[in-house]
Amino acid sequence: FYLSPVFQNDLEFSIRYNKSISNKYINDGIEDRMKIQFSNCFNLFSNAMTLKYYVSIDGYINRKNEYALTPIERYPVHQPEQSPLENLWIPSFTLICFVKNVEFSYEMYHLTNIIDDYLNRNYDSNQIVFNQYYPSLTRLASLAIKWNFYD
């Protein structure tokens, strides 16, 4: 399912929903995925620079912890006595700037940990754990510069 209306002034809103139907041995335990995203694009400096931004929330819903793949042996392990897993909602932000043939992008994934770090708060409650065999997902900030050479 995908819905993406365009509002006034290039403001876009989109909702994506995916349902996973698979056997219980070969999957990641996430039955439903949802992404809610707002984006916009505008020009600055007499249209010499284009700026795009995306604010999104990724949802991992109806997670089950019946089986997990071990990272080294890569075989499924049954976990019968595990507590139910909570739904995960991960906010993200992306900013992309185009100047002539150079593209600058800055992306922040899992904003709650980034905000807690700036406010000097403990973010142990915001740790994302997909299963016990993998370390928790913390945060990611990425800066990329892409230079396109045209003939």
Side-chain angles (χ1 to χ4, degrees):
F1 175 73
Y2 176 70
L3 174 68
S4 181
V6 177
F7 297 105
Q8 197 172 25
N9 298 329
D10 295 326
L11 179 65
E12 293 184 23
F13 171 72
S14 66
I15 296 177
R16 294 180 178 100
Y17 177 78
N18 295 320
K19 183 159 190 72
S20 174
I21 301 172
S22 64
N23 65 20
K24 50 173 105 166
Y25 300 109
I26 305 174
N27 74 6
D28 54 5
I30 302 169
E31 189 173 322
D32 302 317
R33 297 170 195 267
M34 180 180 280
K35 182 170 192 151
I36 302 169
Q37 178 174 299
F38 289 96
S39 62
N40 199 350
C41 176
F42 53 90
N43 295 319
L44 298 172
F45 307 116
S46 300
N47 295 330
M49 181 169 76
T50 303
L51 199 63
K52 291 183 180 180
Y53 68 87
Y54 304 91
V55 177
S56 64
I57 297 176
D58 295 302
Y60 303 101
I61 309 166
N62 297 327
R63 299 187 316 136
K64 295 181 181 158
N65 199 13
E66 295 174 359
Y67 287 87
L69 288 175
T70 59
I72 301 198
E73 293 88 6
R74 298 190 189 263
Y75 66 89
V77 177
H78 184 59
Q79 303 177 15
E81 304 270 334
Q82 294 290 324
S83 61
L85 298 174
E86 297 177 1
N87 295 335
L88 295 177
W89 295 96
I90 303 172
S92 301
F93 175 75
T94 302
L95 179 67
I96 302 173
C97 173
F98 300 95
V99 179
K100 298 221 179 219
N101 58 345
V102 179
E103 175 183 331
F104 301 93
S105 65
Y106 185 67
E107 183 173 3
M108 294 183 287
Y109 184 72
H110 195 10
L111 283 175
T112 50
N113 273 358
I114 294 171
I115 293 169
D116 285 348
D117 194 34
Y118 283 126
L119 297 176
N120 292 324
R121 288 191 290 191
N122 186 0
Y123 53 83
D124 289 337
S125 63
N126 290 327
Q127 296 298 311
I128 296 174
V129 178
F130 283 100
N131 69 45
Q132 66 181 355
Y133 294 102
Y134 292 89
S136 64
L137 177 68
T138 55
R139 62 179 184 238
L140 171 71
S142 152
L143 174 66
I145 300 171
K146 180 180 175 184
W147 194 333
N148 297 314
F149 294 96
Y150 299 114
D151 292 336

